Amino acid sequence: MPKHSQSHLDPRQPLVVDTTKLPRQPGATRTLQRVVSAPVDLGLELIQVPQGSDLELDLSLTSVSEGVYVSGAVRGSLAGECGRCLNPITESFDVPIAELFAYADSTTEETTDDDEVGRMQGDLIDLEPAVRDAVVLTLPTNPVCRPDCPGLCPECGVHLDDLPAGHGHEDVDPRWAALRNLSKTEE
Ligand SMILES: [Zn+2]
Ligand SMILES: [Zn+2]
């Protein structure tokens, strides 16, 4: 069995950054501006970054004694579904990112866990996990099309926005009315 096979990063992958041009001298800085296509499954079930849509990286890479510090912003668009009315949601996001990637064999690399501090592989940095964390953490678990979305009429399923004020189903069978009162108390 191969010993802990290190996954090799491909510098041609959109979220892999090559730091060859960044001097390994603390304080040295390079900017990185790049538009890449969003990877698959970036987001949550109800709202996500559409695969292949533009993901804009606006970052600066700074050499520190133990590695490279990546900071800046990631921007892009989101597509999802309102949890109350099921209407499509499209919006943009702009999230900060700040992460240290330790040089292989640095003290930091040896004294921290993989999930605390990122790892460099040679001169390469895989930004995907950091981008994923930054984006996913800002997503609402219950996305809504707007904060005051009234949702759908529980009885006819029509969006309450599209119904006249005071819309109701008062003339229905009294047994349904009992059910309605039940669902009201549950809310
Ligand atoms: Zn809605
Ligand atoms: Zn109705």
Side-chain angles (χ1 to χ4, degrees), residues 14-89:
L15 287 169
V16 171
V17 173
D18 188 345
T19 65
T20 316
K21 295 205 174 90
L22 176 70
R24 285 197 173 195
Q25 185 187 346
T29 293
R30 290 286 181 277
T31 55
L32 174 81
Q33 278 166 327
R34 197 191 263 188
V35 177
V36 303
S37 63
V40 67
D41 281 337
L42 180 56
L44 302 171
E45 196 182 333
L46 290 175
I47 189 159
Q48 63 281 124
V49 183
Q51 184 188 358
S53 66
D54 283 356
L55 202 58
E56 187 189 333
L57 307 179
D58 186 0
L59 303 172
S60 85
L61 314 179
T62 305
S63 276
V64 294
S65 57
E66 294 284 300
V68 173
Y69 182 68
V70 177
S71 62
V74 182
R75 303 186 189 99
S77 55
L78 296 168
E81 202 172 69
C82 174
R84 291 185 202 152
C85 71
L86 310 181
N87 276 349
I89 301 175

Side-chain angles (χ1 to χ4, degrees), residues 152-160 163 167-169:
L152 307 175
C153 168
E155 281 157 65
C156 63
V158 174
H159 201 296
L160 289 170
L163 293 167
H167 164 81
H169 298 260

Side-chain angles (χ1 to χ4, degrees), residues 90-105:
T90 49
E91 53 187 62
S92 55
F93 68 90
D94 181 339
V95 295
I97 194 166
E99 188 118 344
L100 173 68
F101 293 87
Y103 293 134
D105 305 319

Side-chain angles (χ1 to χ4, degrees), residues 74-147:
V74 182
R75 303 186 189 99
S77 55
L78 296 168
E81 202 172 69
C82 174
R84 291 185 202 152
C85 71
L86 310 181
N87 276 349
I89 301 175
T90 49
E91 53 187 62
S92 55
F93 68 90
D94 181 339
V95 295
I97 194 166
E99 188 118 344
L100 173 68
F101 293 87
Y103 293 134
D105 305 319
S106 63
T107 315
T108 303
E109 201 250 347
E110 282 158 16
T111 57
T112 58
D113 286 332
D114 282 17
D115 53 357
E116 287 174 69
V117 175
R119 297 291 191 258
M120 292 182 65
Q121 289 186 23
D123 288 320
L124 301 180
I125 291 175
D126 183 10
L127 283 179
E128 188 170 331
V131 166
R132 230 169 240 292
D133 285 355
V135 172
V136 171
L137 279 176
T138 62
L139 297 179
T141 38
N142 295 304
V144 286
C145 61
R146 57 170 215 265

